[in-house]
Structures are given as C-alpha cells and as structure tokens.
Amino acid sequence: MSGIVDGILNVTPALAYTLVALLVFAEDALFIGFVIPGETAAVLGGVVASRGQAELVIMMALVVVSAVAGDTVGYEVGRRAGPGLLENRHVLRHRDKLDRARDFLRRRGGWAVFLGRFVALFRALVPALAGASRMHYPTFLAFNAAGGLLWGAGFVLLGYLAGNSYGSVAKVVGGDVTAAVVVGGLVALAVWRFRRARGGKRGAPDGRAGG
C-alpha cells in the first residue's frame, strides 16, 4: 500500500488523475475493495490537489464519476452473473460481511446503496447484491449517484484540507468518519420517515365526513 501511496503523490498530474480514478472505479467494479479501500485513493487525490499537482475540481469530478461508474458496473455484474458470482472463494472468505451486506440491503433497499458507499466492504458488495436481487435500476442509480457525489467530493476535499497530514486522515476515514456519516444518514432517514408519516396522517380523509 505504501508503494501505491508514494506513487500517486509523486507522478505527473495526468497520471495522478488516472491512478486515482482507476482505483476508485476498480474497488466496486472488480471487488478489490477487500484490499484497497477507495477512500484512501480519494483522500490522496485531494492531497495531490493541495500540493498544486492537480486541479481540485477536476479531481473531485473524476472521483465522483469513477465511484458512480464502478457501482454501476458492479450492479450489472451482479445482475448478469446472479448470486453464484458471490460464491467464489475470495468473497466467501468474508462470509460474515457478505451476510451482513445482504441483510442490510434487504432491510434498507435503496438506502443501503447510499449508506453502503461509506463502508469499505459494503462498497464492494452492495452494488453486486443489488444487481443479483434485481433492484429496480432507476432506484439503484438515484441512490448510487447521491452516495457517489457526497462520498467522492467529501473525501477528496478532506484530503485537500489535510494536505501533508494525509497519513493520520487515512487512518480515521475508514472508522470515525464513516461511523459519523452512517449515523447521520440513519438519523436523516428516521426524520424523513417520521415527517412523511405525520404528513400522511394530516392529509388522510376524515372517515366521519360525508356519506
């Protein structure tokens, strides 16, 4: 991993864009999230931009597009290959995480796609599971795009603000930051459902009226 980090921080801007985009894309599309967390690449992309070796807006855009595209490919692989894809020996090494991802997707639906973006192993598994379960693609795409936008822009900006302190940032992005984002997302979901339920009750017709 240290070799990859050093490589990204010491290459030309064009190659830095390419490496960061490929790592983010491949994490979901090729399941390499088991060994290379995509947020590390996104943070490093921000560090490169903070050093003046790349444009921040371009790096953000590339990471967001790569994240959304990677999830889309993962979805298509799951849809075409079916559940059998997730029975290979490499994935089965993480059987407990696979089972948790399945349960998460079953309980949360599209929100699992959004929130799973912020948990490393879920990022690699949820898109394929969504495809294998035949989740409605427009639903998948909407939550995928929202998660990719927030995740991609957020972690690149985090790396940009951290600058040379990227080492300490990289250690916490998979833990404290992820936990905070997931908790915040669940709270927002709970508030949204509560408000929708209240709105539904207010708009319901009075059964005692008319007749």
Side-chain angles (χ1 to χ4, degrees):
M1 176 66 74
S2 61
I4 295 175
V5 170
D6 293 338
I8 292 176
L9 294 177
N10 295 283
V11 297
T12 63
L15 189 52
Y17 290 137
T18 302
L19 288 174
V20 170
L22 285 176
L23 286 173
V24 171
F25 172 83
E27 180 186 30
D28 305 331
L30 305 177
F31 302 104
I32 68 167
F34 291 115
V35 293
I36 302 177
E39 64 262 15
T40 299
V43 168
L44 289 175
V47 174
V48 171
S50 75
R51 294 180 172 188
Q53 298 169 255
E55 292 293 331
L56 177 61
V57 173
I58 295 177
M59 186 65 76
M60 277 185 176
L62 283 174
V63 168
V64 170
V65 170
S66 299
V68 174
D71 270 14
T72 299
V73 171
Y75 173 92
E76 283 298 321
V77 169
R79 188 177 70 83
R80 294 176 184 277
L85 171 72
L86 300 172
E87 299 300 322
N88 70 72
R89 59 188 180 88
H90 298 293
V91 176
L92 289 179
R93 291 176 185 173
H94 306 274
R95 166 68 74 179
D96 58 330
K97 296 181 177 64
L98 177 61
D99 291 340
R100 290 207 304 270
R102 281 179 171 145
D103 181 63
F104 187 43
L105 182 65
R106 183 171 57 253
R107 289 185 293 108
R108 300 296 178 185
W111 280 102
V113 177
F114 176 84
L115 296 172
R117 162 57 56 186
F118 299 91
V119 182
L121 288 175
F122 280 12
R123 260 199 313 277
L125 292 172
V126 169
L129 288 172
S133 67
R134 296 297 195 270
M135 177 184 285
H136 193 44
Y137 181 71
T139 299
F140 172 84
L141 180 60
F143 284 98
N144 174 28
L149 177 61
L150 181 60
W151 178 88
F155 279 112
V156 172
L157 185 59
L158 185 63
Y160 182 83
L161 296 176
N164 289 327
S165 300
Y166 72 90
S168 58
V169 172
K171 290 179 181 179
V172 302
V173 291
D176 296 340
V177 173
T178 293
V181 170
V182 171
V183 170
L186 291 175
V187 170
L189 174 60
V191 171
W192 173 75
R193 285 188 171 178
F194 175 73
R195 289 181 174 176
R196 187 176 69 167
R198 289 188 62 186
K201 290 179 180 179
R202 289 175 180 172
D206 189 340
R208 295 171 297 178

